[in-house]
Amino acid sequence: MAEYNSLEKIRLQKLEDLRAEGIEAYPTRAKRTHLSSEAIAEFEEKEKDGIEVKATLAGRIRAMRAMGKISFAHIEDGAGKVQLFFRANEIGKENLDFFNRMFDIGDFIQAEGVMFRTKTGEVTLHVHDFKLLAKSISPLPAAKDETLEDGTVLRHAALEDPELRARQRYADLAVNPGVRETFRKRAAIVRALQNFLDDHGFLEVETPILQPIYGGAAARPFMTHHNELEQDMYLRISFELYLKRLLVGNLEKVYEIGRDFRNEGVSFKHNPEFTQLEFYWAYADYLQVMELTEQMVSHVAQKVLGTQKITYKGNAIDLTPPWRRLEMRQGILETSGIDIAEHKTAGELFKAIREKHPEKTPDPNATRGKLIDYLLSEFLEPTLIQPTFLHDYPRDISPLAKSIPGDSLTVERFEGYVAGFELCNAFTELNDPLDQEQRFIEMGRDYAADDEEKHPMDEDYLRAMRYGMPPNGGFGMGVDRLAMLLLDKHSIREVLLFPALRKED
RNA sequence: GGGCGCGUAGCUCAACGGCAGAGCAGUGGCCUUUUAAGCCAUUGGUUCAGAGUUCGAAUCUCUGCGCGCUCACCA
């Protein structure tokens, strides 16, 4: 049972008063002839000819100013804000009082009248009739907007508490127009990705989220149970193995945009469920995927933002292709002074790091691949502000990627970095079923010590691969991260409508 | 999971060991072109929860809860 605060009790009393007057606070039907922007535009067009513009508007009350025998209000609808003007002359003293007494900020209202321009020049609806569409009981944490001389809008008492904004996203959206804009743009980003891939001959598919076995990445899964089948199921941690099964089925270019689930830590760039884009492209290799990637990302920026030059955390970033290519070995050498090619075992590499950088403390038990990863994140990653494809990765941290011909320690893999963080990950996919089986076995050994991250053998995937899989290039990108990058948001929570939070109470 | 920080009115914040306050919102009044409208009056608090120290706790200590930052984890 809800407990009401004093402000809510006042509004509940208003509901009772309305009922006593026979007025429905939540009527079934509404009427609207114009969006706010349409009514304003039509008025401005016909103003010089003196043609009257009648309009019925509907929206949510954002501000009210009662001034004796007149009242002003601002309502907001899907297109923006517009001012309402009520005057006793037209609607009568009784109706004006009724509006002032019974309506609150946050209520939905329908108002019919004629557009005009006030003394101060604002295009406004002169209301002749109005109707309550839905009463708001809990006061929205509404801000007040002050428009300064230079036209900038200053917000007062805006809803800012990050917890409240995430927990009550409905209130955040209702009160902070910029948040609505963020999610419109996020939708546009996803649509632009789909259009781009569709136009390049890729087929959008949907593969299982509930899986009998998980794979395609190294992450702890969420587990669940199917009662009738009497078996445990996992929420997918990647799409990879299912999408590559489709290549076996002669679907040559496939992609999926959907949700992945990883039972791991939460941070400014990690949410337990996140949106991933993966595509697989038969007969292509990682170099072709690289080219498609830079075209795709710059295309999305152009579509959504109208430019390929963006700003992230104050850094000017140019997404225009071609992006810089940097061999990982070279990048690590330049930033850390260590040539990983000269240290072919974990022990040697560990020693080299300790000698060159005594202040650093890598894990002495790490594999060579993990140590390279360490060098990458400690030295190289922070320098990769402009878009960069870092390529050619150690084999032992890339179990699903194909080796470079003639170099068994290195695989054809790249990661795209922008603004210092990893945006995407791609490689020439391993399509040799016997090699793949061997890698699964190795992974099982590597992870045996850590029971939580056991890497299961996917027998059905191997069976598919034995039918024959064309050589192909694969690609994965966090769509939330792309949205963060393009929208200059510095936490994944800002681009997720309902980010994961601990339950209340 | 570790470290650091935060939690005060519906919202934004002050008070930092001595009467819990302001602006906005709300309520009542005045006001026929306002726009953070203005003016007058006024309501509103388990200071996140619990325990402790103290003559006295929003303030200091401990525990718990939630959030933020950060580290670890995340091939």
Side-chain angles (χ1 to χ4, degrees), chain A residues 413-466:
Chain A
R413 171 180 173 185
F414 74 83
E415 292 188 333
Y417 281 87
V418 187
F421 67 81
E422 180 196 333
L423 182 65
C424 58
N425 181 18
F427 29 89
T428 306
E429 303 287 336
L430 187 57
N431 67 334
D432 174 344
L434 303 180
D435 189 356
Q436 183 67 72
E437 184 168 19
Q438 201 54 42
R439 304 267 195 117
F440 275 141
I441 292 168
E442 284 173 27
M443 291 304 293
R445 251 204 313 276
D446 284 354
Y447 287 92
D450 184 352
D451 197 39
E452 285 185 299
E453 262 189 34
K454 61 185 189 297
H455 207 80
M457 171 90 72
D458 191 334
E459 295 289 355
D460 177 72
Y461 177 64
L462 291 172
R463 175 169 65 189
M465 206 181 239
R466 283 194 291 268

Side-chain angles (χ1 to χ4, degrees), chain A residues 340-412:
Chain A
I340 56 173
E342 287 179 6
H343 309 283
K344 292 198 187 297
T345 67
E348 284 176 43
L349 186 54
F350 180 79
K351 230 177 95 189
I353 297 171
R354 293 293 298 161
E355 280 170 11
K356 197 92 186 173
H357 302 282
E359 78 286 0
K360 297 286 181 186
T361 53
D363 176 4
N365 299 316
T367 62
R368 179 170 179 272
K370 287 270 191 184
L371 288 172
I372 292 172
D373 211 35
Y374 177 83
L375 287 170
L376 170 62
S377 53
E378 285 290 313
F379 295 99
L380 181 51
E381 224 178 84
T383 71
L384 303 176
I385 303 299
Q386 294 305 317
T388 303
F389 290 122
L390 204 60
H391 59 90
D392 298 354
Y393 277 63
R395 178 182 187 272
D396 68 330
I397 56 170
S398 314
L400 297 161
K402 217 167 182 172
S403 295
I404 289 178
D407 180 355
S408 64
L409 283 181
T410 312
V411 294
E412 294 197 348

Side-chain angles (χ1 to χ4, degrees), chain A residues 9-25 98 101-102 132 135:
Chain A
K9 283 175 185 157
I10 289 165
R11 295 199 186 183
L12 286 169
Q13 183 58 50
K14 292 184 185 180
L15 270 183
E16 294 232 354
D17 295 347
L18 285 167
R19 194 169 300 127
E21 294 181 39
I23 291 162
E24 176 55 68
F98 174 75
R101 205 172 71 249
M102 289 300 187
L132 180 63
K135 188 74 194 153

Side-chain angles (χ1 to χ4, degrees), chain A residues 88-346:
Chain A
N89 301 29
E90 287 79 29
I91 59 173
K93 178 85 168 67
E94 215 168 89
N95 282 327
L96 184 69
D97 287 345
F98 174 75
F99 174 73
N100 290 336
R101 205 172 71 249
M102 289 300 187
F103 283 66
D104 290 290
I105 291 171
D107 289 355
F108 289 89
I109 187 176
Q110 168 186 316
E112 185 183 345
V114 178
M115 301 304 291
F116 79 114
R117 195 179 284 277
T118 64
K119 261 184 193 167
T120 52
E122 180 164 350
V123 179
T124 298
L125 181 73
H126 194 146
V127 177
H128 294 159
D129 195 14
F130 63 95
K131 174 182 166 187
L132 180 63
L133 291 181
K135 188 74 194 153
S136 158
I137 293 170
S138 301
L140 280 170
K144 280 203 162 188
D145 294 340
E146 179 180 11
T147 309
L148 300 175
E149 294 275 324
D150 62 3
T152 55
V153 175
L154 194 65
R155 306 214 85 199
H156 298 273
L159 175 63
E160 282 172 351
D161 176 33
E163 179 179 358
L164 198 60
R165 286 188 49 224
R167 246 184 234 293
Q168 300 190 27
R169 186 66 90 191
Y170 34 86
D172 186 32
L173 286 161
V175 140
N176 292 323
V179 178
R180 297 200 289 270
E181 193 51 31
T182 295
F183 288 101
R184 284 200 190 94
K185 282 189 175 146
R186 183 188 163 117
I189 288 169
V190 172
R191 190 75 67 227
L193 288 168
Q194 289 169 320
N195 288 340
F196 179 89
L197 289 166
D198 290 347
D199 290 347
H200 284 76
F202 284 81
L203 178 72
E204 182 169 18
V205 297
E206 293 176 276
T207 62
I209 291 173
L210 282 176
Q211 302 181 349
I213 196 168
Y214 59 95
R220 287 203 297 270
F222 286 94
M223 275 183 76
T224 185
H225 185 80
H226 191 293
N227 292 339
E228 278 301 306
L229 297 179
E230 292 183 346
Q231 70 173 44
D232 288 335
M233 309 278 285
Y234 300 92
L235 274 63
R236 66 181 171 192
I237 59 172
S238 86
F239 322 153
E240 171 142 5
L241 300 184
Y242 278 93
L243 291 180
K244 277 151 79 175
R245 281 172 170 92
L246 300 178
L247 298 188
V248 171
N250 284 15
L251 293 173
E252 297 186 342
K253 297 166 114 179
V254 294
Y255 76 98
E256 178 165 6
I257 294 175
R259 214 65 70 85
D260 271 346
F261 305 84
R262 297 188 183 177
N263 203 341
E264 288 167 350
V266 178
S267 81
F268 75 96
K269 55 179 178 177
H270 295 91
N271 195 66
E273 54 181 298
F274 61 99
T275 301
Q276 180 90 343
L277 161 65
E278 291 189 26
F279 70 71
Y280 293 86
W281 180 6
Y283 313 113
D285 64 14
Y286 77 140
L287 295 173
Q288 289 162 280
V289 171
M290 237 181 246
E291 285 180 29
L292 195 68
T293 300
E294 61 195 7
Q295 285 169 28
M296 179 170 71
V297 172
S298 56
H299 166 85
V300 171
Q302 189 67 47
K303 274 282 174 197
V304 176
L305 306 175
T307 176
Q308 300 178 17
K309 294 182 168 61
I310 62 168
T311 301
Y312 193 79
K313 282 190 173 175
N315 292 307
I317 292 168
D318 188 353
L319 297 171
T320 309
W323 295 1
R324 177 188 180 205
R325 267 76 167 159
L326 178 63
E327 197 192 338
M328 181 200 257
R329 174 191 162 194
Q330 188 63 31
I332 289 176
L333 178 60
E334 285 170 10
T335 52
S336 75
I338 294 170
D339 186 352
I340 56 173
E342 287 179 6
H343 309 283
K344 292 198 187 297
T345 67

Side-chain angles (χ1 to χ4, degrees), chain A residues 31-37 39-40 55-65 71-86 99 103-113 115 122-127 129-134 145 174 177 180:
Chain A
K31 184 188 163 198
R32 167 158 82 179
T33 62
H34 294 68
L35 285 169
S36 55
S37 59
I40 292 168
T56 302
L57 304 178
R60 189 166 219 166
I61 298 175
R62 286 293 306 274
M64 293 174 68
R65 293 178 293 279
S71 283
F72 290 92
H74 269 100
I75 63 166
E76 186 169 39
D77 64 14
K81 281 201 261 187
V82 64
Q83 184 169 249
L84 305 183
F85 175 60
F86 301 79
F99 174 73
F103 283 66
D104 290 290
I105 291 171
D107 289 355
F108 289 89
I109 187 176
Q110 168 186 316
E112 185 183 345
M115 301 304 291
E122 180 164 350
V123 179
T124 298
L125 181 73
H126 194 146
V127 177
D129 195 14
F130 63 95
K131 174 182 166 187
L132 180 63
L133 291 181
D145 294 340
R180 297 200 289 270

